[in-house]
Amino acid sequence: MRSKLNLAAVAAGVLAVVMLIAVLFVRPMEAAAWVYTAAFFVGLVGVALAAADSLHERHQRLVFLPQTRLGWWSLGVAIAGVALFVVGAFVLTSNRPEGPGVPMFLVRVSAFGGLIAAGIIAVVAWFRRQERSLLVLLTVLPSLFAIYFVIGEFVFPH
């Protein structure tokens, strides 16, 4: 039998998918962008409910530091992804002389890839390895934002 948290997580996930499909049919594009953003937040609530249900189901408490190797990997990869964003922002805003350098898109793609990888590792650690760390759960947030941003760039081009 499924718990109420699990049912709420599934309902939030289904609602997020329905809202994402609705983005294809909503006009004007500004309204579609708002529906897309709302779907992202509904999906975020669904992930949080699924994580809470997982803890409740295992009769475990939330701890601060990672308890598994995958949890620590997730945290490290997330820190590296955020560091790449910070370095990329610094390089973008600094006055540097013309000449060969690291193309900005390589820094951004690496940062997005790191954040998405950290989120995938965190989800595997949480649901497969019984991780229960708040820090590991928080690494899912930048990952979801990176996915949200990348999809949004393709769906709503400038």
Side-chain angles (χ1 to χ4, degrees), residues 41-62:
F41 284 114
V42 169
L44 194 60
V45 168
V47 169
L49 288 171
D53 179 60
S54 175
L55 273 180
H56 179 71
E57 201 173 84
R58 294 182 275 170
H59 303 291
Q60 293 178 332
R61 292 186 182 264
L62 194 63

Side-chain angles (χ1 to χ4, degrees), residues 95-149:
N95 293 329
R96 56 187 180 134
E98 294 299 319
V102 177
M104 200 58 200
F105 76 91
L106 286 179
V107 175
R108 295 290 185 212
V109 167
S110 299
F112 277 121
L115 291 176
I116 292 170
I120 292 170
I121 295 169
V123 167
V124 169
W126 190 271
F127 292 103
R128 296 283 184 207
R129 301 289 171 95
Q130 281 76 40
E131 179 62 61
R132 56 189 180 156
S133 167
L134 178 64
L135 287 177
V136 171
L137 192 57
L138 289 177
T139 61
V140 175
L141 291 175
S143 173
L144 290 176
F145 173 75
I147 293 168
Y148 163 80
F149 186 82

Side-chain angles (χ1 to χ4, degrees), residues 30-95:
E30 291 82 17
W34 280 104
V35 172
Y36 177 72
T37 301
F40 169 73
F41 284 114
V42 169
L44 194 60
V45 168
V47 169
L49 288 171
D53 179 60
S54 175
L55 273 180
H56 179 71
E57 201 173 84
R58 294 182 275 170
H59 303 291
Q60 293 178 332
R61 292 186 182 264
L62 194 63
V63 296
F64 187 70
L65 292 175
Q67 305 294 306
T68 63
R69 289 179 63 100
L70 273 182
W72 282 105
W73 268 100
S74 171
L75 187 61
V77 173
I79 290 170
V82 170
L84 279 172
F85 264 114
V86 170
V87 167
F90 178 73
V91 169
L92 185 63
T93 59
S94 67
N95 293 329

